[in-house]
Amino acid sequence: MLGLKHLSAIRHITKILTTRSYSAVPPLTKLTDDELLMKEAFAKFAQEKIAPKVRQMEETKTQDPEIIKGLFENGFMGIEIDEEYGGTGSNFMTTILAVEELSKVDSNISILVDIHNSLTNPLIKRLGTAEQKQKYLPKLATESVSSFALSEAGSGSDAFAMKTTAKKEGSNYILNGTKMWISNSDIADIFILMANADPSKGHRGITTFILEKGMEGLSIGKKENKLGLVASGTCMVHLDNVKVPEENVLGEVGKGYQYAAGFLNEGRIGIGAQMVGLSQGCFDATIPYLLERKQFGKEIYSFQGLQYQVAEIATLIEAARLMVYNAARLQENGLPFLKEAAMCKLFTSQVAQKVTIACIDWMGGVGFTKDFPHEKFYRDVKAGTIYEGTSNIQMTTIAKLIGRQYAS
Ligand SMILES: Cc1cc2nc3c(=O)[nH]c(=O)nc-3n(C[C@H](O)[C@H](O)[C@H](O)COP(=O)(O)OP(=O)(O)OC[C@H]3O[C@@H](n4cnc5c(N)ncnc54)[C@H](O)[C@@H]3O)c2cc1C
């Protein structure tokens, strides 16, 4: 049986462990003054420039070109690109805040900003040669939309089973195959694309290439007819003997699988931010209605049964946000973040589904109509459990890392 002596020893050890595990980490979820200013700028842009066009983009199933131009003009497409290349020279948390704020209003625009800032820009920024950075970063910061092309029809969760090949011929690679589900590909000028340069080596042949719109043999298929995110183009990218000069290999030949896996870990925090923003946007569009709408002679918000549900959902959103900010700060500080990134993608996408379902329930019949934004939030949210690694894949990662942690 444990006596007081044992309890005090346990308390002592717990104190040491707690102090040690937190002392290396700055206050994780607190935002700096600069970050708060940027957050306000993103929120203002979302309200003033995006909100008035959401319905129209939904009907035409296209992202408004003026909005995209505005994103570049305001520095939202080069958030972490250094100023010498025309970028904003900001940090990863700022990218996260951009995605969160824009998602409160429209996830079609936020997914474009997310993929560009959390996947393609960092890949070139961190792996690019001096020439590649000089050539592509200024364009990415100021005018060119980009795509990240990994998935294929036969390789989604098992992404490294890809069939697209890159055969070396002289100083060029000849690319053949078809990529599927490629976001932004309908409007992209620059593609970061994975192809296997040596299938005999399995996934160790996968190599990352920078492709440009207009390369002979590169063509984009029609947009997928989707449940949600209907304004965001998701298309096949066909490669028919596309000649890519070897100077367009990004990083080392055969390391593409490492790069894709590594950068997608960061991307997942971005999707977490999208899920939090979407949840908050849907919640914000709901509570004022509950405060006004009367049934049984009272505002429906006054019913305790409803208040408890609201409190629970608000708590889930807060927890989800803290997980996203925590994972972002771990990444920024060079601390291990893979488990936290997978957890935050898993949790935020589950929470966001719960939030949109609850909000529609609380709105009653009107929440089921297209006169209110809730049904769009409800459709858009579904991609969150699928792209950048499904929920099952996140759970596989989390369990693997926990197993390793306890085995060591
Ligand atoms: C809107 C949208 C945008 C996208 N944008 C891009 C993009 O820009 N670039 C890009 O490269 N890709 C993109 N994707 C592709 C996306 O990453 C894949 O759809 C995703 O990885 C899942 O692959 P899949 O669709 O082939 O499903 P599958 O891999 O076939 O999975 C089907 C089901 O099986 C489960 N499953 C598979 N393997 C396991 C396992 N080992 N254990 C347990 N369960 C398992 C999955 O969790 C899922 O529930 C996008 C997808 C969508 C829907």
Side-chain angles (χ1 to χ4, degrees):
M1 216 174 95
L2 281 177
L4 276 180
K5 209 172 121 193
H6 294 97
L7 273 179
S8 99
I10 290 169
R11 281 199 190 115
H12 181 65
I13 291 166
T14 313
K15 197 170 161 204
I16 292 172
L17 287 175
T18 314
T19 318
R20 279 204 188 134
S21 60
Y22 286 101
S23 61
V25 181
L28 290 173
T29 51
K30 188 172 180 299
L31 300 181
T32 65
D33 289 346
D34 277 0
E35 288 162 352
L36 284 168
L37 273 178
M38 292 294 282
K39 183 174 150 77
E40 265 174 46
F42 300 135
K44 191 165 183 288
F45 185 88
Q47 280 308 329
E48 290 177 4
K49 306 289 181 197
I50 304 178
K53 291 184 169 167
V54 169
R55 192 46 64 195
Q56 178 199 324
M57 289 194 286
E58 202 66 7
E59 278 159 15
T60 58
K61 298 192 174 183
T62 46
Q63 291 147 321
D64 184 89
E66 280 304 309
I67 294 178
I68 297 175
K69 197 163 155 244
L71 294 170
F72 281 113
E73 284 169 358
N74 284 279
F76 298 174
M77 296 296 268
I79 296 173
E80 292 169 74
I81 292 180
D82 295 333
E83 286 172 69
E84 62 172 305
Y85 297 111
T88 308
S90 212
N91 59 356
F92 184 54
M93 179 61 98
T94 305
T95 295
I96 292 304
L97 296 173
V99 177
E100 181 186 348
E101 288 306 318
L102 301 180
S103 304
K104 286 181 185 172
V105 173
D106 183 32
S107 286
N108 291 286
I109 295 296
S110 75
I111 192 61
L112 183 146
V113 170
D114 175 60
I115 291 173
H116 195 82
N117 282 287
S118 79
L119 282 175
T120 52
N121 287 355
L123 270 153
I124 296 189
K125 181 181 161 176
R126 282 185 243 157
L127 301 175
T129 60
E131 291 74 26
Q132 287 171 339
K133 288 192 219 176
Q134 203 58 56
K135 183 170 180 191
Y136 293 109
L137 290 180
K139 286 186 187 172
L140 288 163
T142 59
E143 60 184 17
S144 298
V145 170
S146 62
S147 278
F148 175 83
L150 174 67
S151 307
E152 297 178 8
S155 57
S157 299
D158 186 12
F160 302 140
M162 68 179 63
K163 293 275 181 281
T164 298
T165 54
K167 197 168 169 220
K168 187 90 193 280
E169 274 187 20
S171 59
N172 295 308
Y173 283 87
I174 309 299
L175 269 60
N176 277 292
T178 296
K179 294 288 169 185
M180 194 172 176
W181 305 114
I182 308 309
S183 301
N184 314 333
S185 53
D186 54 329
I187 53 169
D189 293 317
I190 295 169
F191 299 80
I192 304 290
L193 188 141
M194 309 284 164
N196 201 321
D198 188 351
S200 71
K201 290 188 179 154
H203 67 279
R204 290 181 197 281
I206 295 172
T207 302
T208 310
F209 295 89
I210 308 173
L211 271 65
E212 292 177 39
K213 182 180 173 179
M215 282 180 160
E216 207 180 327
L218 172 69
S219 61
I220 311 301
K222 67 173 177 52
K223 287 182 182 180
E224 298 296 338
N225 190 4
K226 309 193 298 292
L227 166 75
L229 299 177
V230 298
S232 160
T234 312
C235 316
M236 288 196 181
V237 174
H238 303 290
L239 304 147
D240 182 12
N241 286 319
V242 181
K243 194 192 281 183
V244 182
E246 63 184 350
E247 59 263 26
N248 279 31
V249 169
L250 185 60
E252 288 178 45
V253 173
K255 290 266 175 78
Y257 74 99
Q258 274 183 25
Y259 303 147
F263 282 81
L264 276 170
N265 285 317
E266 292 169 37
R268 280 164 192 156
I269 309 174
I271 301 300
Q274 183 187 46
M275 293 295 109
V276 169
L278 188 154
S279 301
Q280 191 67 56
C282 192
F283 189 81
D284 292 345
T286 305
I287 304 302
Y289 179 85
L290 309 183
L291 289 164
E292 270 186 21
R293 166 86 175 158
K294 286 192 176 151
Q295 288 294 284
F296 303 97
K298 287 182 188 171
E299 291 78 24
I300 51 178
Y301 194 82
S302 68
F303 299 118
Q304 200 177 46
L306 195 82
Q307 285 179 0
Y308 283 177
Q309 293 172 359
V310 169
E312 198 168 340
I313 287 292
T315 306
L316 286 176
I317 299 173
E318 180 68 3
R321 177 176 293 110
L322 294 176
M323 282 180 88
V324 171
Y325 288 9
N326 179 56
R329 284 287 192 237
L330 291 173
Q331 185 276 350
E332 252 175 26
N333 286 284
L335 295 164
F337 70 96
L338 305 196
K339 189 178 71 189
E340 289 76 6
M343 284 176 165
C344 102
K345 162 110 180 3
L346 173 70
F347 186 71
T348 56
S349 57
Q350 289 172 343
V351 164
Q353 290 187 160
K354 282 188 189 155
V355 174
T356 56
I357 290 172
C359 287
I360 292 180
D361 282 340
W362 300 336
M363 295 291 294
V366 295
F368 199 60
T369 69
K370 286 189 185 282
D371 299 333
F372 286 78
H374 303 76
E375 63 84 31
K376 176 178 177 296
F377 283 123
Y378 177 76
R379 288 183 291 106
D380 289 348
V381 81
K382 198 66 212 83
T385 60
I386 301 170
Y387 52 23
E388 300 206 18
T390 64
S391 291
N392 281 0
I393 295 304
Q394 305 311 320
M395 287 192 270
T396 306
T397 304
I398 296 163
K400 195 193 292 173
L401 292 168
I402 290 173
R404 263 190 221 156
Q405 190 183 332
Y406 280 83
S408 60

